[in-house]
Amino acid sequence: MTDRIHEFSNDGLTFPVTDEGPLDGDVVVLLHGFPQTSTSWNAVCDRLHAEGYRTLTFDQRGYAPTARPRGRRAYRMSRLVSDVAALVGATGGPVHLVGHDWGAAVAWSTAAGRPDLVRSLVAVSVPHPRAFLGSMLISSQILRSYYIGLFQLPWLPEFACRRPRLLARMLSGTGMTPEQIAAVRTEIVDRAALTPSLNWYRAMPFSHPRYLRPVEAPTTYVWTTGDTALGRRGATMCSRYVTGPYRLDVAGGSHWVPEEQPDLLTRAIVDRISS
């Protein structure tokens, strides 16, 4: 495919797309996490273009102003995966898929439920969903994930996140810089993406078991020792749920790998694709 993709549609929603890099390069689709948008991939995308890859990013369901359905069921994993499938279909697919945080959860689920769409997978921070769930039973992961329970509450999370000082305190504790926190306020809070993005968490009880299947695609999982949200146990369990070639990359640093360590992450992506 030699034409740029400017947008795609799914479920009656419209998703603007940023399509950059060499048109004849292998296509890499990068999925952002919470509470960020596709701009979190800018530094990595620039480096991938220099390596000869074409990158596609988009603000996912709830984050894009033209793709904000009402109600938490609209944000269950099957719908998030269907959005990725629609974009991959527009490229002629399959693609190399990369995801960070919630984007990693969607990437794992896409590779598990729609293996025909994924040539290779790089998941950052969040492990395979079965490794994540399993680690809760035998490690400190359940304590690290306390906020998931809080996000199930109506109104209170929105109230807290709309208080600038409280939001800054929460996010700085995870390793976010002041510049990143300012971007969260602008891109998520001020642009009315807060409740839709929290609905991703509120839709978790409606996930289908098909997305817990092992992944066949060649996979790299990147985990950082300073991640306050995801522990080591989930990282070490992850290999159990990949049947294809697998690699675990462990680095120092916080949860916010795409912006904090773009060189390291770009190398992990390039190594996975080239292998």
Side-chain angles (χ1 to χ4, degrees), residues 118-203:
V118 181
R119 295 177 64 184
S120 71
L121 172 65
V122 176
V124 188
S125 301
V126 172
H128 186 283
R130 286 178 66 183
F132 177 72
L133 293 171
S135 68
M136 283 192 170
L137 303 176
I138 56 175
S139 73
S140 64
Q141 185 58 57
I142 193 168
L143 299 177
R144 292 172 180 263
S145 300
Y146 74 94
Y147 61 91
I148 295 177
L150 294 179
F151 286 171
Q152 304 303 313
L153 300 174
W155 308 116
L156 182 61
E158 284 90 338
F159 174 79
C161 291
R162 289 189 180 109
R163 298 175 66 86
R165 290 185 180 179
L166 182 54
L167 179 68
R169 187 183 309 162
M170 291 187 296
L171 293 178
S172 63
T174 69
M176 263 199 180
T177 66
E179 293 76 18
Q180 289 173 302
I181 294 170
V184 172
R185 277 210 57 83
T186 299
E187 298 179 347
I188 305 300
V189 180
D190 294 345
R191 296 179 184 169
L194 185 55
T195 293
S197 61
L198 287 169
N199 278 340
W200 286 43
Y201 290 93
R202 293 163 178 161

Side-chain angles (χ1 to χ4, degrees), residues 6-248:
H6 301 291
E7 65 180 31
F8 70 95
S9 297
N10 185 47
D11 277 356
L13 310 173
T14 301
F15 299 84
V17 176
T18 300
D19 179 351
E20 297 178 321
L23 274 170
D24 60 350
D26 282 0
V27 176
V28 184
V29 173
L30 302 101
L31 307 175
H32 68 85
F34 173 88
Q36 297 183 300
T37 67
S38 57
T39 61
S40 62
W41 287 114
N42 287 350
V44 172
C45 287
D46 288 343
R47 288 159 174 77
L48 287 174
H49 302 156
E51 296 281 350
Y53 295 100
R54 178 180 177 183
T55 65
L56 275 68
T57 60
F58 69 104
D59 292 349
Q60 295 190 78
R61 181 177 293 234
Y63 293 84
T66 53
R68 288 182 182 158
R70 295 176 61 87
R72 60 177 181 163
R73 285 182 177 270
Y75 297 88
R76 62 194 187 276
M77 186 57 73
S78 62
R79 306 326 304 147
L80 305 176
V81 170
S82 76
D83 295 337
V84 177
L87 175 58
V88 175
T91 71
V95 302
H96 301 287
L97 191 58
V98 181
H100 171 245
D101 188 79
W102 256 112
V106 177
W108 282 114
S109 297
T110 302
R114 290 294 309 274
D116 56 304
L117 303 179
V118 181
R119 295 177 64 184
S120 71
L121 172 65
V122 176
V124 188
S125 301
V126 172
H128 186 283
R130 286 178 66 183
F132 177 72
L133 293 171
S135 68
M136 283 192 170
L137 303 176
I138 56 175
S139 73
S140 64
Q141 185 58 57
I142 193 168
L143 299 177
R144 292 172 180 263
S145 300
Y146 74 94
Y147 61 91
I148 295 177
L150 294 179
F151 286 171
Q152 304 303 313
L153 300 174
W155 308 116
L156 182 61
E158 284 90 338
F159 174 79
C161 291
R162 289 189 180 109
R163 298 175 66 86
R165 290 185 180 179
L166 182 54
L167 179 68
R169 187 183 309 162
M170 291 187 296
L171 293 178
S172 63
T174 69
M176 263 199 180
T177 66
E179 293 76 18
Q180 289 173 302
I181 294 170
V184 172
R185 277 210 57 83
T186 299
E187 298 179 347
I188 305 300
V189 180
D190 294 345
R191 296 179 184 169
L194 185 55
T195 293
S197 61
L198 287 169
N199 278 340
W200 286 43
Y201 290 93
R202 293 163 178 161
M204 289 176 71
F206 307 113
S207 292
H208 194 282
R210 75 168 65 92
Y211 302 115
L212 299 177
R213 295 171 182 166
V215 167
E216 300 173 2
T219 298
T220 295
Y221 172 50
V222 180
W223 177 74
T224 45
T225 56
D227 195 320
T228 58
L230 285 308
R232 181 179 294 274
R233 188 58 176 159
T236 59
M237 292 175 65
C238 208
S239 62
R240 303 178 187 181
Y241 307 109
V242 181
T243 59
Y246 175 76
R247 174 176 170 176
L248 169 63

